[in-house]
């Protein structure tokens, strides 16, 4: 399987778009204290992360020169194992006997940094795709002359 520059950029665009969707979900649920019902009680939303890896290729094909480039793929969306934040709010219906409420393990500042990173990666791949397109158009113009 040989990937062109378009295929590589397209795989990265798809992966970064999914990453932005997951980050948006994290931000939207940063205050959700009842995301799931587990073992008879409600638990807060748990932050999710996107895991990306290079497209798997056959090692013998690489050695034989059949593959000269790879793309990226999302292999999983996993939950962040970090502990929930504890906030004192005795008036909350989710408060325990000490007035503490488990809040999601989402840090808005970290999510915004991740969103900027994903957005910049997306833009870089759009730029690479446009550069490939411009080279194809130029080669067609040269061939016409």
């Amino acid at each position: 399987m040989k990937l062109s520059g378009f295929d590589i950029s397209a795989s990265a665009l798809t992966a970064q778009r999914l990453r932005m969707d997951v980050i948006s979900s994290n931000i939207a649920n940063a205050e959700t204290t009842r995301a799931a019902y587990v073992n008879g009680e409600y638990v807060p939303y748990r932050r999710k992360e996107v895991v990306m890896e290079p497209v798997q290729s056959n090692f013998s094909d690489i050695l034989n020169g059949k593959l000269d480039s790879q793309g990226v793929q999302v292999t999983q969306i996993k939950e962040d194992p970090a502990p929930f934040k504890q906030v004192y709010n005795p008036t909350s219906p989710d408060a325990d006997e000490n007035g503490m409420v488990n809040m999601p393990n989402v840090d808005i500042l970290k999510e915004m940094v991740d969103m900027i990173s994903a957005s910049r990666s997306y833009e870089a791949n759009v730029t690479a795709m446009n550069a490939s397109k411009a080279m194809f158009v130029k080669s067609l113009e040269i061939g016409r002359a």
Side-chain angles (χ1 to χ4, degrees):
M1 173 173 155
K2 194 169 186 174
L3 297 174
S4 71
F6 276 126
D7 294 331
I8 293 168
S9 292
S11 71
L13 288 172
T14 302
Q16 292 302 334
R17 178 63 194 168
L18 179 59
R19 184 174 166 216
M20 286 190 276
D21 289 344
V22 169
I23 293 167
S24 297
S25 177
N26 289 342
I27 292 170
N29 288 292
E31 299 291 322
T32 304
T33 57
R34 294 182 179 196
Y37 194 69
V38 178
N39 297 329
E41 64 181 60
Y42 287 101
V43 293
Y45 176 83
R46 190 168 285 281
R47 179 178 182 268
K48 295 179 178 42
E49 300 172 305
V50 174
V51 178
M52 291 183 263
E53 293 179 2
V55 171
Q56 294 298 317
S57 56
N58 185 336
F59 188 68
S60 64
D61 286 343
I62 294 172
L63 290 176
N64 294 326
K66 292 180 183 174
L67 291 173
D68 58 350
S69 59
Q70 296 183 20
V72 67
Q73 64 185 358
V74 173
T75 55
Q76 75 182 73
I77 298 173
K78 66 178 188 174
E79 290 187 343
D80 185 350
F84 294 120
K85 297 176 191 172
Q86 295 247 305
V87 175
Y88 181 73
N89 184 359
T91 60
S92 171
D94 298 321
D96 63 12
E97 61 277 353
N98 298 322
M100 301 303 284
V101 178
N102 281 333
M103 297 297 288
N105 59 349
V106 176
D107 180 3
I108 296 293
L109 185 59
K110 179 174 180 12
E111 299 303 322
M112 293 305 294
V113 169
D114 286 350
M115 182 66 85
I116 291 169
S117 171
S119 178
R120 295 268 169 88
S121 295
Y122 190 90
E123 290 170 4
N125 281 289
V126 167
T127 301
M129 194 174 264
N130 286 336
S132 294
K133 183 176 115 182
M135 286 188 276
F136 288 139
V137 168
K138 195 64 170 173
S139 65
L140 288 174
E141 288 174 7
I142 292 171
R144 227 185 295 157

